[in-house]
């Protein structure tokens, strides 16, 4: 659908695009930057609104503790090449609107990890630090596992950074085992160095 906007002559705001041209009306770069920031903010609000709204959801995924997530196919396939391919598979078996393999993998994880993973997938942000309903390191490894499986690189990077900067003797081995499981050599070597250094300090 095309949307047209009529503008009266002489009514173009500073920093706006002139109709039929690619030139900017008189206005500084600061006007353009403010406009760009407003667009980014509005886009963020749009995705946050979509996350909060269940009116147009067409996919339901369940957590290991029985919580149902009403989601939307569009942001899932747009953000994850794995989900995109799963939906493209001919004669794919759907469960509540989601490919069976996606539904089965997601069901291994608790509500708190899925909530933050899907929120980050929709909006690009995640308030992991403030969520204290589960152990921090276990929480991060869950999100890392989800992001790694579904190939969502930015969420994988975020959870990796948090694990790397919050390593403790109690969770370094768990991070090491996760790295071995998902075949992440960078994460594995980083955890291994930390474990060795702790043993030397002991």
């Amino acid at each position: 659908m095309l949307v047209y906007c009529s503008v009266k002559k002489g009514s173009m705001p500073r920093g706006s695009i002139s109709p039929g041209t690619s030139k900017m009306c008189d206005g500084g770069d600061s006007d353009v930057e403010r406009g760009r920031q407003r667009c980014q903010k509005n886009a963020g609000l749009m995705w946050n609104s979509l996350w909060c709204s269940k009116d147009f959801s067409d996919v339901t995924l369940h957590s290991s503790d029985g919580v149902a997530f009403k989601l939307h196919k569009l942001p899932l396939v747009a953000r994850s090449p794995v989900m995109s391919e799963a939906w493209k598979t001919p004669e794919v078996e759907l469960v509540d609107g989601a490919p069976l393999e996606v539904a089965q993998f997601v069901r291994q994880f608790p509500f708190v990890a899925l909530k933050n993973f899907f929120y980050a997938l929709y909006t690009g942000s995640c308030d992991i630090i403030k969520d204290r309903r589960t152990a921090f390191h276990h929480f991060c490894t869950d999100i890392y596992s989800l992001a790694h499986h579904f190939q969502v690189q930015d969420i994988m990077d975020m959870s990796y950074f948090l694990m790397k900067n919050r390593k403790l003797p109690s969770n370094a081995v768990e991070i090491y085992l996760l790295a071995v499981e998902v075949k992440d050599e960078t994460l594995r070597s980083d955890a291994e160095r930390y474990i060795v250094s702790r043993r030397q300090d002991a």
Side-chain angles (χ1 to χ4, degrees):
M1 180 176 70
L2 295 177
V3 178
Y4 293 92
C5 178
S6 61
V7 181
K8 293 180 181 179
K9 186 176 180 180
S11 66
M12 291 297 290
R14 287 170 56 83
S16 58
I17 302 292
S18 300
T21 77
S22 60
K23 295 182 179 179
M24 301 299 294
C25 296
D26 288 338
D29 289 341
S30 59
D31 294 326
V32 177
E33 179 61 22
R34 280 195 294 271
R36 185 185 66 80
Q37 290 175 357
R38 283 198 298 271
C39 287
Q40 288 181 333
K41 181 179 178 181
N42 289 337
L45 291 172
M46 179 195 72
W47 287 111
N48 188 70
S49 176
L50 186 64
W51 163 256
C52 294
S53 172
K54 308 307 175 190
D55 293 342
F56 301 102
S57 63
D58 50 5
V59 176
T60 302
L61 293 169
H62 298 268
S63 68
S64 60
D65 37 0
V67 179
F69 286 84
K70 300 288 186 180
L71 303 167
H72 308 82
K73 176 182 174 182
L74 179 59
L76 300 181
V77 300
R79 295 278 276 125
S80 166
V82 172
M83 292 196 202
S84 179
E85 285 303 313
W87 257 285
K88 289 179 185 176
T89 303
E91 299 179 2
V92 62
E93 182 179 352
L94 297 178
V95 178
D96 293 329
L100 179 61
E101 62 185 272
V102 172
Q104 288 177 335
F105 185 81
V106 164
R107 196 153 198 150
Q108 301 175 63
F109 298 90
F111 158 78
V112 66
L114 291 180
K115 181 196 76 172
N116 282 274
F117 174 72
F118 288 130
Y119 181 74
L121 191 141
Y122 271 68
T123 68
S125 63
C126 194
D127 203 9
I128 288 178
I129 301 299
K130 295 181 181 178
D131 205 317
R132 302 296 184 188
R133 281 177 285 181
T134 189
F136 178 84
H137 65 277
H138 182 65
F139 183 40
C140 285
T141 56
D142 279 349
I143 292 180
Y144 183 88
S145 296
L146 283 158
H148 185 274
H149 180 80
F150 291 118
Q151 295 179 25
V152 187
Q153 188 64 48
D154 57 332
I155 301 178
M156 193 165 73
D157 291 344
M158 175 193 65
S159 52
Y160 169 75
F161 175 80
L162 289 168
M163 284 189 291
K164 182 177 179 180
N165 287 276
R166 290 286 294 271
K167 286 191 302 296
L168 298 169
S170 60
N171 66 26
V173 172
E174 183 174 351
I175 292 173
Y176 175 83
L177 293 174
L178 169 69
V180 171
E181 179 185 344
V182 300
K183 298 180 176 61
D184 188 317
E185 284 303 309
T186 303
L187 183 61
R188 183 200 61 75
S189 61
D190 188 68
E192 187 175 40
R193 282 195 302 272
Y194 179 81
I195 294 168
V196 170
S197 68
R198 292 294 301 180
R199 286 177 178 172
Q200 290 173 345
D201 293 341

mmCIF file of all heavy atoms in Angstrom, residues 33-68:
data_model
loop_
_atom_site.group_PDB
_atom_site.id
_atom_site.type_symbol
_atom_site.label_atom_id
_atom_site.label_comp_id
_atom_site.label_asym_id
_atom_site.label_seq_id
_atom_site.Cartn_x
_atom_site.Cartn_y
_atom_site.Cartn_z
ATOM 1 N N GLU A 33 20.017 14.577 11.957
ATOM 2 C CA GLU A 33 20.357 13.622 13.011
ATOM 3 C C GLU A 33 19.207 13.473 14.005
ATOM 4 O O GLU A 33 18.879 12.362 14.421
ATOM 5 C CB GLU A 33 21.631 14.072 13.739
ATOM 6 C CG GLU A 33 22.063 13.157 14.884
ATOM 7 C CD GLU A 33 22.369 11.742 14.431
ATOM 8 O OE1 GLU A 33 22.657 11.534 13.228
ATOM 9 O OE2 GLU A 33 22.299 10.827 15.281
ATOM 10 N N ARG A 34 18.580 14.571 14.370
ATOM 11 C CA ARG A 34 17.430 14.493 15.283
ATOM 12 C C ARG A 34 16.286 13.715 14.642
ATOM 13 O O ARG A 34 15.608 12.933 15.303
ATOM 14 C CB ARG A 34 16.961 15.900 15.680
ATOM 15 C CG ARG A 34 17.815 16.542 16.770
ATOM 16 C CD ARG A 34 17.114 17.753 17.370
ATOM 17 N NE ARG A 34 16.974 18.828 16.404
ATOM 18 C CZ ARG A 34 17.888 19.777 16.206
ATOM 19 N NH1 ARG A 34 19.009 19.765 16.892
ATOM 20 N NH2 ARG A 34 17.688 20.727 15.315
ATOM 21 N N GLY A 35 16.072 13.942 13.345
ATOM 22 C CA GLY A 35 15.034 13.188 12.645
ATOM 23 C C GLY A 35 15.342 11.705 12.598
ATOM 24 O O GLY A 35 14.465 10.872 12.796
ATOM 25 N N ARG A 36 16.608 11.381 12.357
ATOM 26 C CA ARG A 36 17.019 9.979 12.326
ATOM 27 C C ARG A 36 16.808 9.325 13.691
ATOM 28 O O ARG A 36 16.312 8.195 13.788
ATOM 29 C CB ARG A 36 18.489 9.872 11.925
ATOM 30 C CG ARG A 36 18.994 8.442 11.752
ATOM 31 C CD ARG A 36 20.487 8.417 11.485
ATOM 32 N NE ARG A 36 21.239 8.879 12.639
ATOM 33 C CZ ARG A 36 21.513 8.112 13.705
ATOM 34 N NH1 ARG A 36 21.084 6.872 13.737
ATOM 35 N NH2 ARG A 36 22.210 8.596 14.713
ATOM 36 N N GLN A 37 17.157 10.042 14.757
ATOM 37 C CA GLN A 37 16.988 9.507 16.103
ATOM 38 C C GLN A 37 15.519 9.292 16.440
ATOM 39 O O GLN A 37 15.159 8.301 17.089
ATOM 40 C CB GLN A 37 17.651 10.440 17.127
ATOM 41 C CG GLN A 37 19.165 10.437 17.048
ATOM 42 C CD GLN A 37 19.797 11.456 17.981
ATOM 43 O OE1 GLN A 37 19.100 12.224 18.657
ATOM 44 N NE2 GLN A 37 21.124 11.487 18.010
ATOM 45 N N ARG A 38 14.665 10.218 15.982
ATOM 46 C CA ARG A 38 13.223 10.049 16.212
ATOM 47 C C ARG A 38 12.692 8.822 15.485
ATOM 48 O O ARG A 38 11.867 8.077 16.016
ATOM 49 C CB ARG A 38 12.460 11.301 15.775
ATOM 50 C CG ARG A 38 12.546 12.456 16.750
ATOM 51 C CD ARG A 38 11.454 13.485 16.494
ATOM 52 N NE ARG A 38 11.577 14.081 15.157
ATOM 53 C CZ ARG A 38 12.299 15.164 14.896
ATOM 54 N NH1 ARG A 38 12.969 15.761 15.867
ATOM 55 N NH2 ARG A 38 12.359 15.652 13.684
ATOM 56 N N CYS A 39 13.178 8.627 14.249
ATOM 57 C CA CYS A 39 12.755 7.445 13.483
ATOM 58 C C CYS A 39 13.173 6.161 14.185
ATOM 59 O O CYS A 39 12.401 5.205 14.279
ATOM 60 C CB CYS A 39 13.349 7.483 12.072
ATOM 61 S SG CYS A 39 12.596 8.698 10.985
ATOM 62 N N GLN A 40 14.412 6.136 14.687
ATOM 63 C CA GLN A 40 14.894 4.956 15.394
ATOM 64 C C GLN A 40 14.085 4.712 16.659
ATOM 65 O O GLN A 40 13.743 3.575 16.976
ATOM 66 C CB GLN A 40 16.377 5.116 15.739
ATOM 67 C CG GLN A 40 17.292 5.002 14.527
ATOM 68 C CD GLN A 40 18.756 5.132 14.913
ATOM 69 O OE1 GLN A 40 19.097 5.764 15.911
ATOM 70 N NE2 GLN A 40 19.621 4.540 14.115
ATOM 71 N N LYS A 41 13.792 5.784 17.389
ATOM 72 C CA LYS A 41 13.006 5.651 18.614
ATOM 73 C C LYS A 41 11.611 5.119 18.302
ATOM 74 O O LYS A 41 11.104 4.224 18.988
ATOM 75 C CB LYS A 41 12.898 7.009 19.308
ATOM 76 C CG LYS A 41 12.101 6.959 20.607
ATOM 77 C CD LYS A 41 12.040 8.328 21.264
ATOM 78 C CE LYS A 41 11.206 8.271 22.537
ATOM 79 N NZ LYS A 41 11.123 9.622 23.188
ATOM 80 N N ASN A 42 10.981 5.648 17.252
ATOM 81 C CA ASN A 42 9.645 5.201 16.880
ATOM 82 C C ASN A 42 9.641 3.748 16.422
ATOM 83 O O ASN A 42 8.701 3.004 16.706
ATOM 84 C CB ASN A 42 9.065 6.090 15.783
ATOM 85 C CG ASN A 42 8.706 7.469 16.305
ATOM 86 O OD1 ASN A 42 8.482 7.646 17.494
ATOM 87 N ND2 ASN A 42 8.663 8.452 15.420
ATOM 88 N N ALA A 43 10.718 3.350 15.709
ATOM 89 C CA ALA A 43 10.823 1.950 15.294
ATOM 90 C C ALA A 43 10.929 1.043 16.515
ATOM 91 O O ALA A 43 10.303 -0.017 16.581
ATOM 92 C CB ALA A 43 12.036 1.749 14.384
ATOM 93 N N GLY A 44 11.719 1.465 17.506
ATOM 94 C CA GLY A 44 11.839 0.691 18.734
ATOM 95 C C GLY A 44 10.512 0.578 19.457
ATOM 96 O O GLY A 44 10.146 -0.485 19.958
ATOM 97 N N LEU A 45 9.769 1.688 19.503
ATOM 98 C CA LEU A 45 8.449 1.670 20.146
ATOM 99 C C LEU A 45 7.486 0.759 19.400
ATOM 100 O O LEU A 45 6.657 0.081 20.013
ATOM 101 C CB LEU A 45 7.881 3.097 20.207
ATOM 102 C CG LEU A 45 8.602 4.064 21.151
ATOM 103 C CD1 LEU A 45 8.064 5.485 20.965
ATOM 104 C CD2 LEU A 45 8.452 3.623 22.602
ATOM 105 N N MET A 46 7.597 0.729 18.070
ATOM 106 C CA MET A 46 6.729 -0.133 17.266
ATOM 107 C C MET A 46 6.951 -1.601 17.607
ATOM 108 O O MET A 46 6.008 -2.353 17.830
ATOM 109 C CB MET A 46 6.988 0.098 15.783
ATOM 110 C CG MET A 46 6.129 -0.785 14.875
ATOM 111 S SD MET A 46 6.730 -0.811 13.166
ATOM 112 C CE MET A 46 8.212 -1.805 13.325
ATOM 113 N N TRP A 47 8.251 -2.022 17.649
ATOM 114 C CA TRP A 47 8.537 -3.429 17.957
ATOM 115 C C TRP A 47 8.166 -3.774 19.388
ATOM 116 O O TRP A 47 7.704 -4.878 19.671
ATOM 117 C CB TRP A 47 10.008 -3.727 17.687
ATOM 118 C CG TRP A 47 10.320 -3.782 16.229
ATOM 119 C CD1 TRP A 47 11.073 -2.896 15.515
ATOM 120 C CD2 TRP A 47 9.854 -4.742 15.274
ATOM 121 N NE1 TRP A 47 11.111 -3.251 14.188
ATOM 122 C CE2 TRP A 47 10.369 -4.379 14.015
ATOM 123 C CE3 TRP A 47 9.045 -5.875 15.375
ATOM 124 C CZ2 TRP A 47 10.112 -5.112 12.865
ATOM 125 C CZ3 TRP A 47 8.778 -6.609 14.225
ATOM 126 C CH2 TRP A 47 9.307 -6.227 12.989
ATOM 127 N N ASN A 48 8.353 -2.820 20.300
ATOM 128 C CA ASN A 48 7.951 -3.050 21.686
ATOM 129 C C ASN A 48 6.442 -3.201 21.783
ATOM 130 O O ASN A 48 5.933 -4.049 22.528
ATOM 131 C CB ASN A 48 8.420 -1.893 22.573
ATOM 132 C CG ASN A 48 8.186 -2.176 24.036
ATOM 133 O OD1 ASN A 48 8.838 -3.027 24.642
ATOM 134 N ND2 ASN A 48 7.244 -1.468 24.622
ATOM 135 N N SER A 49 5.716 -2.378 21.019
ATOM 136 C CA SER A 49 4.257 -2.464 20.997
ATOM 137 C C SER A 49 3.794 -3.807 20.435
ATOM 138 O O SER A 49 2.852 -4.412 20.938
ATOM 139 C CB SER A 49 3.687 -1.315 20.154
ATOM 140 O OG SER A 49 2.286 -1.421 20.041
ATOM 141 N N LEU A 50 4.481 -4.282 19.389
ATOM 142 C CA LEU A 50 4.137 -5.582 18.808
ATOM 143 C C LEU A 50 4.378 -6.696 19.820
ATOM 144 O O LEU A 50 3.584 -7.629 19.939
ATOM 145 C CB LEU A 50 4.967 -5.829 17.545
ATOM 146 C CG LEU A 50 4.613 -7.095 16.747
ATOM 147 C CD1 LEU A 50 3.201 -6.996 16.191
ATOM 148 C CD2 LEU A 50 5.611 -7.305 15.616
ATOM 149 N N TRP A 51 5.490 -6.603 20.564
ATOM 150 C CA TRP A 51 5.796 -7.598 21.594
ATOM 151 C C TRP A 51 4.692 -7.632 22.660
ATOM 152 O O TRP A 51 4.265 -8.697 23.099
ATOM 153 C CB TRP A 51 7.147 -7.282 22.234
ATOM 154 C CG TRP A 51 7.383 -7.959 23.547
ATOM 155 C CD1 TRP A 51 7.328 -7.393 24.779
ATOM 156 C CD2 TRP A 51 7.722 -9.337 23.762
ATOM 157 N NE1 TRP A 51 7.607 -8.320 25.750
ATOM 158 C CE2 TRP A 51 7.853 -9.518 25.151
ATOM 159 C CE3 TRP A 51 7.926 -10.423 22.902
ATOM 160 C CZ2 TRP A 51 8.172 -10.749 25.720
ATOM 161 C CZ3 TRP A 51 8.253 -11.652 23.470
ATOM 162 C CH2 TRP A 51 8.364 -11.813 24.856
ATOM 163 N N CYS A 52 4.215 -6.452 23.055
ATOM 164 C CA CYS A 52 3.209 -6.365 24.110
ATOM 165 C C CYS A 52 1.823 -6.768 23.626
ATOM 166 O O CYS A 52 0.987 -7.215 24.419
ATOM 167 C CB CYS A 52 3.148 -4.941 24.667
ATOM 168 S SG CYS A 52 4.654 -4.439 25.526
ATOM 169 N N SER A 53 1.555 -6.609 22.337
ATOM 170 C CA SER A 53 0.226 -6.907 21.789
ATOM 171 C C SER A 53 0.126 -8.361 21.354
ATOM 172 O O SER A 53 0.994 -8.872 20.667
ATOM 173 C CB SER A 53 -0.064 -6.002 20.586
ATOM 174 O OG SER A 53 -1.252 -6.399 19.949
ATOM 175 N N LYS A 54 -0.951 -9.016 21.773
ATOM 176 C CA LYS A 54 -1.188 -10.401 21.363
ATOM 177 C C LYS A 54 -2.340 -10.507 20.355
ATOM 178 O O LYS A 54 -2.703 -11.590 19.931
ATOM 179 C CB LYS A 54 -1.516 -11.270 22.595
ATOM 180 C CG LYS A 54 -0.500 -11.141 23.728
ATOM 181 C CD LYS A 54 0.931 -11.394 23.279
ATOM 182 C CE LYS A 54 1.938 -11.154 24.382
ATOM 183 N NZ LYS A 54 3.326 -11.157 23.894
ATOM 184 N N ASP A 55 -2.888 -9.348 19.969
ATOM 185 C CA ASP A 55 -4.066 -9.345 19.091
ATOM 186 C C ASP A 55 -3.804 -10.015 17.749
ATOM 187 O O ASP A 55 -4.670 -10.689 17.205
ATOM 188 C CB ASP A 55 -4.544 -7.909 18.844
ATOM 189 C CG ASP A 55 -5.086 -7.260 20.103
ATOM 190 O OD1 ASP A 55 -5.411 -8.006 21.045
ATOM 191 O OD2 ASP A 55 -5.174 -6.016 20.143
ATOM 192 N N PHE A 56 -2.602 -9.839 17.201
ATOM 193 C CA PHE A 56 -2.313 -10.365 15.870
ATOM 194 C C PHE A 56 -1.288 -11.497 15.899
ATOM 195 O O PHE A 56 -0.658 -11.806 14.899
ATOM 196 C CB PHE A 56 -1.815 -9.230 14.964
ATOM 197 C CG PHE A 56 -2.807 -8.113 14.829
ATOM 198 C CD1 PHE A 56 -2.640 -6.925 15.540
ATOM 199 C CD2 PHE A 56 -3.928 -8.259 14.030
ATOM 200 C CE1 PHE A 56 -3.557 -5.896 15.428
ATOM 201 C CE2 PHE A 56 -4.854 -7.231 13.906
ATOM 202 C CZ PHE A 56 -4.673 -6.047 14.610
ATOM 203 N N SER A 57 -1.099 -12.108 17.059
ATOM 204 C CA SER A 57 -0.140 -13.213 17.163
ATOM 205 C C SER A 57 -0.628 -14.402 16.338
ATOM 206 O O SER A 57 -1.823 -14.679 16.271
ATOM 207 C CB SER A 57 0.059 -13.628 18.616
ATOM 208 O OG SER A 57 -1.143 -14.117 19.169
ATOM 209 N N ASP A 58 0.322 -15.093 15.702
ATOM 210 C CA ASP A 58 -0.029 -16.251 14.889
ATOM 211 C C ASP A 58 0.832 -17.469 15.218
ATOM 212 O O ASP A 58 0.790 -18.475 14.511
ATOM 213 C CB ASP A 58 0.073 -15.911 13.394
ATOM 214 C CG ASP A 58 1.401 -15.244 13.039
ATOM 215 O OD1 ASP A 58 2.274 -15.128 13.916
ATOM 216 O OD2 ASP A 58 1.556 -14.818 11.888
ATOM 217 N N VAL A 59 1.617 -17.365 16.286
ATOM 218 C CA VAL A 59 2.496 -18.454 16.717
ATOM 219 C C VAL A 59 2.422 -18.566 18.238
ATOM 220 O O VAL A 59 2.412 -17.549 18.929
ATOM 221 C CB VAL A 59 3.967 -18.182 16.313
ATOM 222 C CG1 VAL A 59 4.886 -19.273 16.856
ATOM 223 C CG2 VAL A 59 4.103 -18.074 14.805
ATOM 224 N N THR A 60 2.357 -19.788 18.742
ATOM 225 C CA THR A 60 2.411 -20.016 20.188
ATOM 226 C C THR A 60 3.530 -21.001 20.483
ATOM 227 O O THR A 60 3.578 -22.082 19.905
ATOM 228 C CB THR A 60 1.077 -20.578 20.732
ATOM 229 O OG1 THR A 60 0.022 -19.663 20.421
ATOM 230 C CG2 THR A 60 1.146 -20.753 22.244
ATOM 231 N N LEU A 61 4.446 -20.592 21.357
ATOM 232 C CA LEU A 61 5.534 -21.460 21.797
ATOM 233 C C LEU A 61 5.456 -21.602 23.309
ATOM 234 O O LEU A 61 5.044 -20.680 24.008
ATOM 235 C CB LEU A 61 6.885 -20.886 21.382
ATOM 236 C CG LEU A 61 7.154 -20.854 19.875
ATOM 237 C CD1 LEU A 61 8.392 -20.026 19.558
ATOM 238 C CD2 LEU A 61 7.321 -22.269 19.324
ATOM 239 N N HIS A 62 5.872 -22.765 23.821
ATOM 240 C CA HIS A 62 5.726 -23.068 25.245
ATOM 241 C C HIS A 62 7.091 -23.257 25.899
ATOM 242 O O HIS A 62 8.015 -23.817 25.304
ATOM 243 C CB HIS A 62 4.889 -24.330 25.432
ATOM 244 C CG HIS A 62 3.493 -24.204 24.911
ATOM 245 N ND1 HIS A 62 2.431 -23.790 25.683
ATOM 246 C CD2 HIS A 62 2.987 -24.422 23.664
ATOM 247 C CE1 HIS A 62 1.328 -23.759 24.943
ATOM 248 N NE2 HIS A 62 1.645 -24.139 23.723
ATOM 249 N N SER A 63 7.191 -22.821 27.154
ATOM 250 C CA SER A 63 8.419 -22.990 27.936
ATOM 251 C C SER A 63 8.393 -24.355 28.632
ATOM 252 O O SER A 63 7.364 -25.036 28.678
ATOM 253 C CB SER A 63 8.532 -21.882 28.982
ATOM 254 O OG SER A 63 7.521 -22.030 29.970
ATOM 255 N N SER A 64 9.533 -24.728 29.209
ATOM 256 C CA SER A 64 9.621 -26.009 29.913
ATOM 257 C C SER A 64 8.743 -26.032 31.152
ATOM 258 O O SER A 64 8.313 -27.099 31.594
ATOM 259 C CB SER A 64 11.074 -26.288 30.320
ATOM 260 O OG SER A 64 11.556 -25.263 31.187
ATOM 261 N N ASP A 65 8.444 -24.842 31.722
ATOM 262 C CA ASP A 65 7.579 -24.781 32.893
ATOM 263 C C ASP A 65 6.134 -24.428 32.540
ATOM 264 O O ASP A 65 5.363 -23.961 33.371
ATOM 265 C CB ASP A 65 8.139 -23.815 33.954
ATOM 266 C CG ASP A 65 8.789 -22.576 33.360
ATOM 267 O OD1 ASP A 65 8.823 -22.447 32.125
ATOM 268 O OD2 ASP A 65 9.259 -21.736 34.141
ATOM 269 N N GLY A 66 5.766 -24.658 31.278
ATOM 270 C CA GLY A 66 4.368 -24.615 30.880
ATOM 271 C C GLY A 66 3.776 -23.258 30.553
ATOM 272 O O GLY A 66 2.558 -23.136 30.425
ATOM 273 N N VAL A 67 4.610 -22.231 30.362
ATOM 274 C CA VAL A 67 4.098 -20.896 30.013
ATOM 275 C C VAL A 67 4.009 -20.772 28.494
ATOM 276 O O VAL A 67 4.944 -21.145 27.776
ATOM 277 C CB VAL A 67 4.995 -19.786 30.585
ATOM 278 C CG1 VAL A 67 4.466 -18.409 30.183
ATOM 279 C CG2 VAL A 67 5.084 -19.897 32.104
ATOM 280 N N ALA A 68 2.865 -20.268 28.015
ATOM 281 C CA ALA A 68 2.665 -20.092 26.579
ATOM 282 C C ALA A 68 3.048 -18.674 26.160
ATOM 283 O O ALA A 68 2.668 -17.699 26.815
ATOM 284 C CB ALA A 68 1.205 -20.356 26.215
#
